[in-house]
Amino acid sequence: MVGNDRREHMRTAMSAKVKVVHTELGEFIFSTRDISDGGVFIVVDTEPFAPNLGDKVTVQVQGLPVPAPVLEMVVVRKTNDGYGLQFDQNGD
């Protein structure tokens, strides 16, 4: 870890379209900025998407030749341009 960066996993820049579903806020399509073994960062522009930290969402990569798995994730970080999502280890 360097400075204030508390991340456990190395990030890799990756731009992909993902469908994010929140039980109360609805369904959205966002772009990713990076991915790691622990999660993904989604870029939120003008969409009315404002989850709380700790909220659970499902995420599915879009545009693949076969349907990608739907993954359960938790909102763990908010920045000016998006949200950090962590893979839900509990799966509940």
Side-chain angles (χ1 to χ4, degrees), residues 72-87:
E72 303 219 356
M73 303 192 82
V74 178
V75 179
V76 294
R77 186 166 57 97
K78 178 186 184 324
T79 69
N80 290 337
D81 61 343
Y83 291 88
L85 308 177
Q86 183 176 46
F87 296 115

Side-chain angles (χ1 to χ4, degrees), residues 31-82:
S31 293
T32 62
R33 183 170 70 197
D34 58 56
I35 189 168
S36 73
D37 286 345
V40 64
F41 185 88
I42 57 170
V43 178
V44 177
D45 292 320
T46 59
E47 293 287 334
F49 183 71
N52 295 309
L53 296 183
D55 281 2
K56 296 191 179 197
V57 295
T58 60
V59 178
Q60 182 183 38
V61 175
Q62 303 295 288
L64 300 177
V66 296
V70 175
L71 303 173
E72 303 219 356
M73 303 192 82
V74 178
V75 179
V76 294
R77 186 166 57 97
K78 178 186 184 324
T79 69
N80 290 337
D81 61 343

Side-chain angles (χ1 to χ4, degrees), residues 10-15 33-36:
M10 177 159 342
R11 294 173 289 161
T12 301
M14 184 181 104
S15 180
R33 183 170 70 197
D34 58 56
I35 189 168
S36 73

